[in-house]
Amino acid sequence: MDNTILTENIQTIQVDPGLAIKEKRLDLNMTQKELADSVGMPKFGDRTIRRWEKGETSPSPLEFLSIMEFLESAGNKPFLNNEKAPYTMVDLFAGIGGTRLGFQLTGKVKSVFSSEWDKFAQKTYFANYGEYPHGDITKIDESMVPDHDILVAGFPCQAFSQAGKKLGFEDTRGTLFFDVARIIKAKRPKMFLLENVKNLKTHDKGRTYETIINTLRDMDYEVDSALYKARDFGAPQNRERIYIVGFDKLSLKNIDLFEFPTAPKPKTSVGDILEDSVDEKYTISDTLWEGHKRRKLEHKEKGNGFGFSLFNSNSPYTNTISARYYKDGSEILIEQSGKNPRKITPREAARLQGFPEKFIIPVSDTQAYKQFGNSVCVPVVNAIAQEMLKVFKNQTL
């Protein structure tokens, strides 16, 4: 619809814009700060929204339209399940559902259960998938998890207190991997995908990885793993992660037909993910910029390469975005002509991880950075998912 017509309608309809914004915001369980950041308002935009809601000032018709359009879209849940999808999955340590999304985008998988303890990640998950994940997985009885075909999880990496003693399943007690293992053991999904940091293979001198693989194989799963970089799948980020796949040897045939996907390795450019117009609030302050330069010089004098990293639209890819990015943005700073560099925006962070444009970000910038830093590269997962699902085609009835 023509925005001019909408604007005229807003002006003629007797509506309290501040009250309308407040009611819709509360209905979506968003704070004023979250709303201000989500719609790209300048620094201290939450104060402006607060004044609107109190009736002290009023938004312009275009400001009102922009905010209400966002709030309406946030209520539409763009990634609801395809209920006709033939295969089911559960999403553990779900975060904001990046792994789920990789499978869901195949059109053949629907989620029947999810678990994530972080309340802000739960909010983003609900805004996009229409469901609030169950909470702390350590407190969920495995018998309460629905039967499913596929299990996915991105559990934190921990050392196992008895690693190396070859106690199998018992080795994992006291770790978060144990909660993945007990659900696999109880529900026997036909296949699983586990994602973790590259260093999982060398963690605790390799004993952590060995214990995980042995535990899964002891439960009669064919297990293999591969390392992939996000930039090799079109996301301009040097993010490398390990992906562990498993297939139930007791219920699946032709498992040996599975092959990890070949990375297409397209040419990537940071410019492809940058927004055309960015608010000044993302430009770092003089104090922070001087601190970055001082620390980089100190590291250089010590002979190491730590410190901030600058990129521009011509850079092929960035460093890996981390959950700590919200603190100072040092690992990914974008050059700006004639002024200090800037942090990437939450939408740019989403693009770095390959999330679709319609993915809703209903939280503050700080939380958004944490969420995308903790998430997965969606195109990588999607490529692996497509190969895993081929195994289902090769089953004899």
Side-chain angles (χ1 to χ4, degrees):
M1 186 180 293
D2 191 318
N3 280 355
T4 302
I5 297 174
L6 285 173
T7 302
E8 290 174 353
N9 288 341
I10 293 168
Q11 292 173 322
T12 57
I13 295 173
Q14 296 299 314
V15 60
D16 182 336
L19 181 60
I21 291 172
K22 181 177 181 179
E23 288 179 347
K24 192 66 178 177
R25 175 180 65 78
L26 293 177
D27 184 55
L28 293 172
N29 191 30
M30 295 180 69
T31 66
Q32 292 165 337
K33 174 65 173 171
E34 288 170 341
L35 177 56
D37 284 351
S38 295
V39 299
M41 294 180 71
K43 192 174 183 179
F44 306 125
D46 54 320
R47 298 179 185 178
T48 300
I49 291 176
R50 190 175 303 119
R51 287 194 291 270
W52 289 344
E53 293 184 356
K54 287 183 176 181
E56 297 173 355
T57 59
S58 295
S60 70
L62 286 178
E63 287 174 327
F64 180 70
L65 174 64
S66 176
I67 289 177
M68 292 305 290
E69 281 185 337
F70 171 80
L71 291 171
E72 288 296 332
S73 67
N76 288 335
K77 315 295 187 298
F79 300 104
L80 296 174
N81 269 328
N82 170 14
E83 294 303 332
K84 295 182 180 179
Y87 308 117
T88 57
M89 68 176 288
V90 300
D91 190 11
L92 309 182
F93 300 96
I96 56 175
T99 308
R100 168 185 176 151
L101 188 55
F103 277 83
Q104 196 165 305
L105 290 175
T106 66
K108 299 176 182 178
V109 182
K110 60 185 176 184
S111 178
V112 294
F113 179 88
S114 57
S115 172
E116 168 58 46
W117 69 271
D118 184 87
K119 66 179 183 179
F120 297 104
Q122 288 178 335
K123 183 177 294 190
T124 301
Y125 202 98
F126 177 75
N128 287 280
Y129 308 106
E131 64 183 73
Y132 273 103
H134 294 264
D136 188 349
I137 192 63
T138 66
K139 296 179 172 60
I140 295 173
D141 190 316
E142 57 267 28
S143 65
M144 301 302 293
V145 177
D147 292 338
H148 52 278
D149 299 310
I150 307 162
L151 178 146
V152 302
F155 61 94
C157 176
Q158 300 164 289
F160 301 143
S161 60
Q162 300 186 68
K165 294 187 178 180
K166 302 190 183 302
L167 297 178
F169 186 78
E170 296 302 320
D171 268 3
T172 66
R173 289 190 180 276
T175 72
L176 291 173
F177 173 73
F178 172 75
D179 297 290
V180 176
R182 66 183 172 87
I183 292 173
I184 291 176
K185 185 175 183 179
K187 308 306 295 189
R188 291 212 65 82
K190 293 181 176 63
M191 55 185 70
F192 57 74
L193 174 65
L194 310 181
E195 180 266 354
N196 216 297
V197 296
K198 173 186 177 181
N199 291 341
L200 177 68
K201 274 204 165 184
T202 55
H203 191 253
D204 194 19
K205 299 181 180 179
R207 289 189 287 265
T208 296
Y209 178 76
E210 180 185 5
T211 302
I212 288 171
I213 298 301
N214 288 339
T215 298
L216 296 169
R217 287 175 175 165
D218 287 346
M219 291 190 286
D220 288 310
Y221 281 85
E222 185 71 30
V223 183
D224 201 358
S225 67
L227 286 168
Y228 285 121
K229 292 180 179 179
R231 61 185 171 94
D232 290 339
F233 288 79
Q237 178 190 182
N238 194 34
R239 185 187 196 89
E240 190 168 19
R241 290 293 184 268
I242 186 171
Y243 298 87
I244 302 172
V245 299
F247 298 92
D248 182 9
K249 294 191 291 187
L250 303 182
S251 66
L252 291 175
K253 299 178 181 179
N254 300 320
I255 295 172
D256 58 337
L257 294 177
F258 169 78
E259 292 184 359
F260 276 103
T262 299
K265 297 186 177 181
K267 183 179 180 180
T268 58
S269 170
V270 173
D272 292 339
I273 64 98
L274 298 181
E275 297 193 69
D276 294 332
S277 179
V278 175
D279 192 273
E280 282 298 313
K281 69 179 180 180
Y282 296 107
T283 298
I284 64 174
S285 68
D286 290 341
T287 301
L288 183 56
W289 182 220
E290 290 303 319
H292 279 325
K293 291 188 288 186
R294 183 184 66 255
R295 284 187 290 275
K296 184 147 190 166
L297 180 60
E298 291 171 352
H299 284 303
K300 185 177 181 179
E301 290 173 348
K302 293 178 181 178
N304 63 50
F306 298 120
F308 71 87
S309 296
L310 281 175
F311 302 91
N312 57 46
S313 60
N314 295 319
S315 302
Y317 51 83
T318 70
N319 290 337
T320 298
I321 187 172
S322 69
R324 68 170 298 282
Y325 185 77
Y326 73 95
K327 292 184 177 180
D328 59 22
S330 61
E331 64 261 43
I332 306 172
L333 290 174
I334 305 300
E335 290 179 333
Q336 298 188 104
S337 178
K339 55 184 176 181
N340 296 348
R342 67 172 178 86
K343 295 197 293 185
I344 59 173
T345 69
R347 179 56 61 187
E348 291 168 343
R351 292 171 181 171
L352 267 187
Q353 292 282 42
F355 279 78
E357 287 299 294
K358 64 180 180 178
F359 191 86
I360 295 168
I361 307 173
V363 293
S364 68
D365 287 356
T366 294
Q367 292 300 327
Y369 290 135
K370 290 180 181 179
Q371 291 173 7
F372 289 113
N374 278 327
S375 194
V376 298
C377 181
V378 176
V380 179
V381 173
N382 180 252
I384 297 173
Q386 292 185 55
E387 295 302 316
M388 291 176 68
L389 293 176
K390 289 180 181 178
V391 175
F392 282 129
K393 292 182 181 179
N394 296 305
Q395 301 308 305
T396 55
L397 301 177

